[in-house]
Amino acid sequence: MTRRYSALSLLREGVNGQRGWEPAWRSPEPKARYDAIVIGGGGHGLATAYYLAKNHGITNVALVERGWIGGGNTGRNTTVIRSNYFFPASAAFYDFSVELYEGLSKELNYNIMFSQRGMWTLAHDRHGLEMARRSANAMLLNGVDAEFHDGPSVRTRIPGLNPDPRFPILGGIKQPRGGTARHDAVAWGYARAASALGVDIIQNCEVLDFVIEGGRVRGVETSLGAMRSDCVGMAVAGHSSVIAAKAGLRLPVSSYALQAFVSEPVKPCLDTVILSPATGTYLSQSDKGELVIGAGLDLYLSYAQRGNLPWMERAAAGVVELFPQFSRLRFLRQWAGIVDVVHDSTPILGLTAVDGLFINCGWGTGGFKSIPAGGWCLAHAMATGQSHPLARAFDIERFETGALIDEASASGIAH
Ligand SMILES: Cc1cc2nc3c(=O)[nH]c(=O)nc-3n(C[C@H](O)[C@H](O)[C@H](O)COP(=O)(O)OP(=O)(O)OC[C@H]3O[C@@H](n4cnc5c(N)ncnc54)[C@H](O)[C@@H]3O)c2cc1C
């Protein structure tokens, strides 16, 4: 049984020389057969494995990860959590995710450091201002918290903002419940809780192919041998189209590199998350003091997990435009992840044309915030064979029916 983390256990280990801690999750040898197999040890895969066990009592589950858990986009993202969407289906889904995040540290007995410091989207021109008003109204109508602020109000609430930037700040929307969480902790917390419920977490194990018999999935071939199961879920982000092709599925997913940067750490100076569409930059400050800076997608498709100078220059220019005083900071690190972009900016979640094979992908630049809800809904689909009501609109069938949910056009949010 996994030991509970508590102030008392910390104290006890403190006086006992920290010798009593156990590994946070088990690393068992793979079994020949499972009731369910989840491919991909990012946040979505780990959350799926956890909710299969927790919500549906399916504990004979393998979580198969080709590298180390959280080593994909989950451990590479800028950790912004929000639900500022336009369409009712998106708002309901992403807000459910924020709600799950609000209780996650307690539920997993693992501090995910969720800090609801608020998320701002600035408006830099009259069209942006109109869009901000429209988005705030849509969010309120959808039951999501939103505040509209004019320029002077934004400036009093974000001290240090450049009073005279090249792109004037005419206003902005704030989602007070938005914020950030510690990405590794989300992966590790789900892994630990899933393992405690009986899930086998198998790292360094690549899925090479599917076993499909009579149009139905019967298992996977992996670098550690075959594993049989009539129920397989995949949550492999930027590699979704590559893996799905092995089951004969063609996905409307394109893979791009998305980069992020951190500065050297400084004392606390920014207590919120700011997105500035005109400069193409967003930033927050981590608990370690680093400015965490994100930018846009590369303009070309790629599976190379590395960044490049043009985006670094653009991100730095955007940050200095907003906060000239940060111009003296140095970049400490830069990295990239491969994100799975769907052209209507909405995920694909649920059943596929292959019986027993389920999918969770298309999160693009914004799937960290949806990890709890994405895992919840994929687990529901795998356990019941039905799409979860919150994810029904995200079914892949929408590319046949034409019922697309174009958030990029509606809310200006790519994902
Ligand atoms: C730079 C950057 C910044 C971002 N910022 C934000 C943000 O601020 N807020 C937000 O909400 N989202 C953000 N995102 C997006 C977010 O990180 C992703 O959408 C989310 O992490 C996707 O989670 P996942 O579990 O689907 O994928 P991943 O975490 O990428 O996990 C997929 C896993 O599948 C594994 N895998 C692949 N192929 C195989 C195989 N054949 N066999 C076994 N395993 C396999 C991979 O190794 C990987 O570990 C950002 C992304 C990047 C790159």
Side-chain angles (χ1 to χ4, degrees), residues 7 166 257 281 297 316 318:
R166 180 168 152 235
T281 312
L297 289 173

Side-chain angles (χ1 to χ4, degrees), residues 300-336:
Y300 45 86
L301 303 178
S302 173
Y303 289 100
Q305 277 192 150
R306 56 172 179 261
N308 50 41
L309 205 52
W311 262 120
M312 194 184 246
E313 284 180 325
R314 201 169 153 187
V319 169
V320 172
E321 178 69 33
L322 294 172
F323 296 98
Q325 61 274 36
F326 292 157
S327 64
R328 306 235 180 116
L329 287 179
R330 279 168 292 199
F331 273 136
L332 188 69
R333 283 194 310 279
Q334 162 277 346
W335 66 89

Side-chain angles (χ1 to χ4, degrees), residues 253-413:
V253 171
S254 310
S255 295
Y256 295 88
L258 178 69
Q259 302 177 56
F261 319 89
V262 289
S263 74
E264 58 189 333
V266 284
K267 292 210 166 139
C269 57
L270 183 62
D271 64 356
T272 190
V273 182
I274 301 174
L275 165 66
S276 158
T279 64
T281 312
Y282 63 96
L283 75 159
S284 64
Q285 188 173 21
S286 76
D287 296 314
K288 284 186 282 182
E290 302 156 339
L291 291 182
V292 181
I293 301 163
L297 289 173
D298 275 357
L299 297 176
Y300 45 86
L301 303 178
S302 173
Y303 289 100
Q305 277 192 150
R306 56 172 179 261
N308 50 41
L309 205 52
W311 262 120
M312 194 184 246
E313 284 180 325
R314 201 169 153 187
V319 169
V320 172
E321 178 69 33
L322 294 172
F323 296 98
Q325 61 274 36
F326 292 157
S327 64
R328 306 235 180 116
L329 287 179
R330 279 168 292 199
F331 273 136
L332 188 69
R333 283 194 310 279
Q334 162 277 346
W335 66 89
I338 303 303
V339 296
D340 38 338
V341 175
V342 178
H343 61 76
D344 71 345
S345 320
T346 290
I348 298 172
L349 185 47
L351 284 61
T352 71
V354 178
D355 278 349
L357 179 60
F358 302 87
I359 193 163
N360 162 324
C361 73
W363 304 104
T365 58
F368 177 68
K369 63 182 170 323
S370 57
I371 283 173
W376 184 287
C377 292
L378 181 60
H380 176 97
M382 291 174 72
T384 64
Q386 310 276 328
S387 290
H388 189 282
L390 272 176
R392 205 151 282 152
F394 303 160
D395 208 284
I396 196 166
E397 264 180 14
R398 72 179 186 273
F399 294 95
E400 284 172 26
T401 62
L404 303 182
I405 306 172
D406 191 348
E407 277 294 341
S409 312
S411 60
I413 296 168

Side-chain angles (χ1 to χ4, degrees), residues 39-46 64-82 205-208 235-239 243 246 258-260 282 335-340 360-361 363-371:
I39 310 171
H44 283 274
L46 290 161
V64 184
E65 163 57 47
R66 72 171 178 179
W68 65 97
I69 60 168
N73 294 339
T74 298
R76 293 165 185 270
N77 80 91
T78 46
T79 77
V80 180
I81 293 170
R82 54 187 167 81
C205 177
E206 182 171 3
V207 170
L208 305 171
V236 292
H239 290 81
I243 307 292
K246 294 181 189 297
L258 178 69
Q259 302 177 56
Y282 63 96
W335 66 89
I338 303 303
V339 296
D340 38 338
N360 162 324
C361 73
W363 304 104
T365 58
F368 177 68
K369 63 182 170 323
S370 57
I371 283 173

